[in-house]
Amino acid sequence: MFRTALRNVLAHKARLLMTVLAVTLGVAFVSGTLVFTDTLGKAFSSQSAKSYDDIAVVVAGPEKDGQRLGIPAGTLTKVQGVDGVDEVTGRVSGFAGVADEDGKLLGVGWSNTGRNFAPDESGKDAAFDFVRGEGPAQDGQIALDKTTADKGGYAVGDTVRVATTGTVQEYDLAGIFTTDDGQVSAGGSLVLFDTSVAQEQYLRPGHFESFTVAAKSGASAQQILDEVKPLLPEGSKAKTAEKAAADEAKMIKDSMKNMNTMLLAFAGIALFVGIFLIANTFTMLVAQRTRELALMRAVGASRPQVKRSVIMEALFVGTIASLIGFGVGLGLATGLRSTLNALDMKIPDGPLVVSAAAVLSALGVGIAVTVLAAWLPARRAAKIPPVAAMSSVHAVASGKSLLVRNIIGAVLAGAGALAITAGAAQGSTGRMLIAVGAFLTLIGFIILIPQLARPVIAVFRPLLTRAFGVSGKLAAQNAVRNPRRTGATASALAIGLTLVTGLTVIGASIGQAIDRTTTDQVRGDFRISMSSMHPLDDSSLALLEKAKGIEALSPQEAIQVRVEGKERHASAVTADGVDEVYHLPVVNGSFDGLGKGQIAVAEKTADKQGWKAGDTIPVTFEGNGKKDTQQLTIAAVFEDNDFVSPYLLPRELATPYLTQSAIQEIWVKMQGGTTEANEKALVDALGNNPGMKIQDQKEFRDEIGGMINMMLNIMYGLLGMALIIAILGVINTLAMSVFERQQEIGMLRAIGLDRRRVKRMIRLEAIVISLFGATVGIALGSFLGWAIGETVKGEIPGYELVLPGGRIVLFLALAALVGVLAAMWPARSAARLNMLTAIKTE
């Protein structure tokens, strides 16, 4: 039986090509994902570990309510006196953006960093290798990483404009260095300042964000740690460098898990879709070898032996395809790494990591999927009676088996639909129930889809007949001639389009909600924020207050307070501008009271607490070394707005308790509204700061919508693998159909159906099958999109279901195009059949 299986594989290489391609693509996705994430994690872990070379202890300063408190320089002096300590290096960092010659920001905003240059007694900082010049030694100097200097065309001695969270300043470039810093590797920049300048900008004079301790030869890191801890301010975190490196390695590994899980989920979808193609292929091979299998049974082969023969073929094919797929996966991992480097998201150097787990997982999955998909055709082959098979009477499913199949499918689909509906009714807690229901519904429809083929395709038959005559009528009949095969092929497309449609519905609904929320809740013309997502400096607000053409402005500065003893988020705002730039309809009271040191409370919060305008509540402020409880009067109760916190405080109340600026955004209302001249006036007022973003309402909405679209495009790209396999399934089905109908096609040619109409018949058959699968997928996807939307609408204000008709029509058009492309080879083969030879074919 082993030799028979091997001979059959070699005899049907062309027929098995589609199966090999499907398994290869799925395995390549799995192996590429595992190797890429392992390589990425190892590279970043090695880079992280390298940064702790020659360090014994790492100390991070205390934080409170998101504010960095810092470590006094005197503490570092005390640590320097601990036995075994060789050197103590203090660090402070924050945002620093470098402008190019056109004033544009160099590098990716969120990873543009500024840091202090901390030289030792020799005048060098071990963290940086200078290739030209030297580190900054005075206030007006900086040093740049080589990548940024090259991008900006800067040389030692040039004047460089650098933006922090405040104003833009010009510095002399003292030196250029190389670094393994992760922010630079991620496409950002690194600017080194003199220590006193960095402290002034990012923390406060005489304080450090963190420090590292280098030990003398033979000194114990643990012993130094034990002696250092009592010297630190309360809330500081200290650990050995070995522990810090291990923690970072674990954090990197955990962060890779999410990416790994997502990519493997899409690989699983691709392989699941591939099951239908593989099952169709082996069904066709079994049908072609009916007489051969019958003869084997007649000469003594048992049912288990026939079954094992087919399974053995699947094992051969799965092994070959998995080995090829693993090789392709290695190329995919290498290509992804090169692509990221080309996009300036530099990956640290390191070898390609190919673990035993990655090899075994990829090969095991590929082989298992192939054997599993071939099991049912193998079982059917073993059950064909020898006499019936030898007389070419194919065993058909009995009415009882079809009835049982339909009952099972209906029960699963019904249970899944009920679970999805129940999950939608539960809101945010029902997502897991929807996931289970989605799986049951898909399985149920996959079982039922052969039964659905006839009535659904019957709807299109009159249209095809009227539009294409005999070719259209024959195409519709051929599409339902073998409902199981048509159903299996359509299922592959349906699964892919279910997921694509569901994602599209959710994305379109969220996008519309964001548009509506911004339009309804913001009155300001321009939003000002940092491109790095760091808070704006107070100096930015001072510059804007002096600018011409501004009717009203208000920052939103985050602060934590205690209201009646409970922690609450509050927004510190400008008393006379907040209701001009945000849409805050007053329920009772007036915003005029904010200017008198009173507060405003959102309606839902006020109703929950039983408050109204004029009530007095205790509010506790703590920070910057101060703690104070004040009895504050509620000036106004306003309708809830998603852009501000439920508690609004005048900035004068909050500022004394903030150690650092926490202005997340500033909205500005201009005379004349949103115009280029007004935007330029704001740019000029802020000193043409490359680190700041000035957006009108449309640009702000587009930025959020762009993120949603980018995520959708990534998902579409990942699902593309499953759709490619589905297309292979359509090609396979048509090829099988042409092979089985050679005699029929010959007869049609003999009675006058020319080659052009034969091609058209095959193409229309492919389009019908593709549209059938697309229709089922779009219907299921829309249902799932509605259900998932019900679980998020409580978290997304203004959320309403949107069925994007344009995209749905596009999906149907693409499905039809898939049918046309998939039919090219089978249609050509059918048209080129010799009619006399075909008529004689059995």
Side-chain angles (χ1 to χ4, degrees):
M1 299 306 293
F2 178 84
R3 286 196 300 271
T4 301
L6 180 59
R7 179 182 58 78
N8 286 327
V9 169
L10 296 176
H12 299 95
K13 295 188 286 293
R15 294 284 179 217
L16 291 168
L17 179 60
M18 298 299 177
T19 293
V20 171
L21 282 174
V23 178
T24 295
L25 289 173
V27 171
F29 210 146
V30 172
S31 59
T33 295
L34 295 174
V35 172
F36 177 67
T37 52
D38 285 349
T39 299
L40 211 61
K42 181 65 176 177
F44 281 117
S45 295
S46 298
Q47 183 188 61
S48 173
K50 187 178 179 181
S51 66
Y52 292 106
D53 288 350
D54 304 321
I55 293 174
V57 173
V58 179
V59 178
E63 293 186 11
K64 187 165 186 179
D65 298 333
Q67 301 285 319
R68 298 180 299 174
L69 304 180
I71 304 169
T75 301
L76 275 67
T77 303
K78 293 178 184 178
V79 172
Q80 185 69 61
V82 171
D83 288 342
V85 172
D86 182 37
E87 187 178 5
V88 180
T89 304
R91 297 291 183 193
V92 61
S93 63
F95 169 75
V98 179
D100 63 14
E101 60 181 9
D102 298 322
K104 303 298 183 182
L105 185 68
L106 288 170
V108 183
W110 61 268
S111 58
N112 290 330
T113 310
R115 193 173 297 163
N116 66 305
F117 176 67
D120 56 20
E121 293 179 357
S122 67
K124 296 182 179 180
D125 188 327
F128 312 104
D129 295 322
F130 279 82
V131 294
R132 290 187 289 277
E134 56 189 8
Q138 54 190 17
D139 290 359
Q141 293 182 333
I142 61 165
L144 278 181
D145 69 275
K146 186 176 183 301
T147 302
T148 303
D150 290 345
K151 283 181 182 177
Y154 290 118
V156 173
D158 288 350
T159 299
V160 182
R161 297 178 73 245
V162 179
T164 57
T165 53
T167 56
V168 181
Q169 297 186 38
E170 293 185 345
Y171 296 89
D172 293 329
L173 183 59
I176 297 172
F177 59 90
T178 58
T179 177
D180 290 327
D181 186 271
Q183 301 289 73
V184 177
S185 296
S189 61
L190 180 58
V191 181
L192 297 183
F193 298 94
D194 179 69
T195 294
S196 61
V197 174
Q199 289 175 330
E200 183 72 34
Q201 288 181 342
Y202 299 130
L203 199 55
R204 48 182 168 162
H207 285 71
F208 292 95
E209 178 185 355
S210 63
F211 67 86
T212 57
V213 179
K216 293 178 180 178
S217 178
S220 165
Q222 186 60 50
Q223 185 175 344
I224 292 174
L225 177 64
D226 293 339
E227 294 189 36
V228 165
K229 279 184 176 180
L231 305 176
L232 303 176
E234 184 180 353
S236 299
K237 298 176 182 178
K239 59 182 75 172
T240 63
E242 183 180 359
K243 177 70 165 56
D247 288 348
E248 283 200 21
K250 184 178 183 302
M251 183 180 68
I252 291 169
K253 185 177 180 180
D254 290 342
S255 67
M256 290 292 110
K257 275 183 182 177
N258 292 331
M259 181 195 299
N260 211 22
T261 301
M262 182 184 74
L263 292 175
L264 287 177
F266 284 97
I269 292 168
L271 286 168
F272 183 61
V273 170
I275 286 176
F276 299 99
L277 188 155
I278 298 165
N280 264 354
T281 300
F282 278 93
T283 298
M284 177 186 71
L285 293 177
V286 168
Q288 286 179 306
R289 290 161 44 208
T290 301
R291 289 176 178 269
E292 175 189 328
L293 293 173
L295 183 59
M296 289 172 60
R297 291 291 311 282
V299 297
S302 64
R303 285 187 175 182
Q305 284 180 312
V306 171
K307 185 177 177 181
R308 282 199 299 271
S309 173
V310 178
I311 294 294
M312 194 74 70
E313 292 177 43
L315 185 62
F316 284 137
V317 172
T319 302
I320 293 167
S322 297
L323 289 171
I324 297 171
F326 187 79
V328 173
L330 293 181
L332 184 63
T334 305
L336 279 172
R337 183 172 179 168
S338 300
T339 300
L340 289 178
N341 283 327
L343 294 173
D344 282 339
M345 298 178 64
K346 299 187 183 302
I347 307 300
D349 292 333
L352 201 66
V353 178
V354 183
S355 66
V359 176
L360 294 176
S361 298
L363 297 182
V365 165
I367 293 169
V369 165
T370 311
V371 171
L372 176 66
W375 179 80
L376 193 57
R379 183 169 174 269
R380 287 177 184 159
K383 291 177 71 175
I384 297 174
V387 174
M390 291 179 74
S391 59
S392 297
V393 179
H394 294 264
V396 295
S398 67
K400 180 181 178 181
S401 68
L402 290 175
L403 178 63
V404 170
R405 175 191 177 111
N406 293 334
I407 290 172
I408 293 172
V411 169
L412 288 175
L418 286 174
I420 292 171
T421 306
Q426 289 181 17
S428 59
T429 60
R431 290 169 192 162
M432 186 56 69
L433 189 57
I434 288 175
V436 173
F439 178 76
L440 292 176
T441 303
L442 273 175
I443 297 299
F445 267 89
I446 288 168
I447 295 172
L448 283 174
I449 209 165
Q451 190 70 15
L452 295 173
R454 291 186 185 278
V456 173
I457 293 175
V459 174
F460 299 104
R461 185 182 298 170
L463 297 174
L464 290 171
T465 303
R466 282 197 294 269
F468 301 102
V470 174
S471 296
K473 183 177 182 180
L474 290 173
Q477 291 175 344
N478 291 332
V480 293
R481 176 176 293 186
N482 190 328
R484 286 190 174 182
R485 185 187 302 158
T486 297
T489 305
S491 294
L493 278 171
I495 292 168
L497 281 169
T498 295
L499 299 173
V500 167
T501 305
L503 288 171
T504 303
V505 168
I506 295 166
S509 301
I510 292 175
Q512 179 175 284
I514 291 168
D515 282 353
R516 184 183 296 120
T517 300
T518 306
T519 303
D520 294 347
Q521 300 190 5
V522 176
R523 289 176 173 173
D525 298 312
F526 294 98
R527 176 182 183 265
I528 298 158
S529 62
M530 294 299 299
S531 60
S532 62
M533 295 181 285
H534 285 79
L536 289 155
D537 191 81
D538 286 343
S539 60
S540 303
L541 186 60
L543 290 172
L544 288 171
E545 287 172 342
K546 297 175 184 177
K548 295 180 180 180
I550 294 180
E551 289 185 353
L553 64 81
S554 180
Q556 186 180 172
E557 192 162 16
I559 183 172
Q560 288 282 116
V561 297
R562 297 183 75 86
V563 180
E564 294 187 340
K566 296 182 179 179
E567 290 281 348
R568 294 288 184 255
H569 295 287
S571 295
V573 297
T574 301
D576 59 354
V578 63
D579 60 333
E580 294 292 327
V581 298
Y582 297 106
H583 184 61
L584 302 170
V586 174
V587 178
N588 55 70
S590 169
F591 276 105
D592 293 341
L594 284 180
K596 303 172 185 176
Q598 298 176 355
I599 67 171
V601 182
E603 183 180 13
K604 289 180 182 177
T605 301
D607 289 346
K608 185 177 180 181
Q609 300 296 329
W611 298 334
K612 62 183 183 302
D615 290 350
T616 300
I617 58 175
V619 180
T620 301
F621 297 89
E622 185 175 1
N624 212 9
K626 304 173 185 178
K627 184 175 182 179
D628 186 23
T629 299
Q630 302 182 33
Q631 297 294 324
L632 299 180
T633 301
I634 299 175
V637 175
F638 60 91
E639 291 183 10
D640 288 69
N641 185 298
D642 298 291
F643 285 87
V644 298
S645 300
Y647 297 89
L648 298 183
L649 311 169
R651 291 193 74 239
E652 294 74 17
L653 279 178
T655 301
Y657 304 95
L658 295 171
T659 56
Q660 297 170 303
S661 173
I663 301 174
Q664 300 301 320
E665 64 180 13
I666 302 173
W667 277 96
V668 178
K669 191 173 181 62
M670 304 286 291
Q671 295 173 5
T674 303
T675 65
E676 290 185 11
N678 280 339
E679 183 174 358
K680 187 177 186 306
L682 293 175
V683 171
D684 293 341
L686 293 167
N688 194 20
N689 191 323
M692 290 186 182
K693 288 193 298 187
I694 300 175
Q695 302 166 294
D696 59 28
Q697 284 196 28
K698 182 179 182 303
E699 289 170 336
F700 178 53
R701 292 196 302 269
D702 289 346
E703 180 182 64
I704 300 173
M707 289 187 286
I708 294 172
N709 288 331
M710 182 180 70
M711 292 178 63
L712 282 175
N713 289 335
I714 291 172
M715 297 295 185
Y716 290 159
L718 294 172
L719 286 171
M721 187 74 73
L723 292 175
I724 289 171
I725 294 174
I727 292 170
L728 295 177
V730 178
I731 296 172
N732 202 35
T733 294
L734 292 173
M736 291 161 60
S737 180
V738 169
F739 174 81
E740 291 176 351
R741 290 156 41 207
Q742 288 185 62
Q743 188 179 61
E744 176 188 319
I745 292 170
M747 291 294 295
L748 290 170
R749 290 288 315 284
I751 62 175
L753 195 68
D754 59 24
R755 289 183 175 181
R756 181 173 55 84
R757 284 189 287 180
V758 169
K759 284 183 180 181
R760 182 186 297 165
M761 177 183 69
I762 302 299
R763 289 195 195 103
L764 290 174
E765 184 179 344
I767 291 172
V768 167
I769 294 172
S770 298
L771 287 176
F772 171 50
T775 302
V776 174
I778 288 170
L780 287 175
S782 299
F783 180 49
L784 281 177
W786 163 79
I788 295 170
E790 291 296 299
T791 69
V792 302
K793 72 176 184 180
E795 303 163 15
I796 301 175
Y799 182 93
E800 290 181 4
L801 179 67
V802 175
L803 291 176
R807 290 202 181 187
I808 288 175
V809 170
L810 177 62
F811 294 157
L812 288 171
L814 289 175
L817 179 61
V818 163
V820 172
L821 295 176
M824 289 177 66
W825 172 57
R828 186 167 177 270
S829 299
R832 296 183 65 182
L833 285 174
N834 182 289
M835 67 178 75
L836 294 178
T837 304
I839 289 171
K840 291 189 294 181
T841 302
E842 294 185 12

